[in-house]
Amino acid sequence: MKTIIDKDTKGLNFMEKNKVSVWASQFPYDKIPEEYFEENFTHKKKRATNTWSNNFKLAYFSPDYLETNGVYSGTSNIRKVAGACSFSKSYIESLEQMAINNNMAQVTWIVLLHDLAYDPEVSGIKKDKFLTFLGAFDYDETADSLYEP
């Protein structure tokens, strides 16, 4: 993977085909300020930034490659939450083990960015107030979801 510093935004670009980066939260979804998710668009709405992406030093993300899932109250098993996401059969075992290792087996919600291999060793950021980075996993774009949403 080649990480590039985007000179226009001063952020980092971690694009890598067939990788999915996953962040998880145990913070109640309904308690997160709307501003955290408000997207600012550039490049004909093909690129976006928001408080979350800025906190993790991402130059930008492509909304087409962003996926979220979770519960509005309480927590749920990460296997169930991530299992409803795209291509999850190809990465669910690795993700679940990483979540267990990070005491994040029960979550409120997750954020996935496909074709991105975020690296906290490069950015220096593994978590912010609401999300914890769990890892970048190989995915197969022909794989099904573990569960139908």
Side-chain angles (χ1 to χ4, degrees), residues 23 56 98 102 118 120 123-128 131-135:
W23 289 261
F56 285 93
M98 188 63 72
N102 283 277
Y118 181 77
S123 70
I125 310 293
K126 182 165 172 69
K127 62 197 242 178
D128 71 2
L131 286 167
T132 299
F133 177 69
L134 292 181

Side-chain angles (χ1 to χ4, degrees), residues 33-146:
E34 285 295 317
E35 305 85 61
Y36 189 75
F37 301 106
E38 283 181 12
E39 296 174 339
N40 299 305
F41 293 95
T42 61
H43 291 80
K44 298 181 182 177
K45 296 202 179 229
K46 299 278 187 199
R47 294 181 181 178
T49 59
N50 58 21
T51 300
W52 159 74
S53 66
N54 292 338
N55 287 353
F56 285 93
K57 297 185 180 180
L58 298 175
Y60 61 87
F61 64 90
S62 174
D64 291 342
Y65 297 107
L66 176 72
E67 193 169 7
T68 63
N69 196 29
V71 294
Y72 286 104
S73 63
T75 62
S76 186
N77 184 285
I78 195 159
R79 184 177 186 89
K80 183 176 180 184
V81 174
C85 296
S86 301
F87 321 118
S88 59
K89 279 188 177 178
S90 63
Y91 59 83
I92 195 69
E93 300 300 329
S94 298
L95 171 59
E96 187 175 35
Q97 189 57 56
M98 188 63 72
I100 290 167
N101 293 348
N102 283 277
N103 296 314
M104 298 284 288
Q106 292 291 313
V107 298
T108 54
W109 55 285
I110 59 171
V111 174
L112 297 90
L113 268 178
H114 294 276
D115 292 343
L116 187 114
Y118 181 77
D119 186 346
E121 290 187 16
V122 173
S123 70
I125 310 293
K126 182 165 172 69
K127 62 197 242 178
D128 71 2
K129 184 176 180 180
F130 304 115
L131 286 167
T132 299
F133 177 69
L134 292 181
F137 307 95
D138 294 328
Y139 80 90
D140 178 350
E141 60 189 21
T142 65
D144 291 328
S145 295
L146 186 62

Side-chain angles (χ1 to χ4, degrees), residues 24-36:
S25 182
Q26 294 174 325
F27 197 90
Y29 185 79
D30 62 349
K31 304 283 187 225
I32 298 169
E34 285 295 317
E35 305 85 61
Y36 189 75

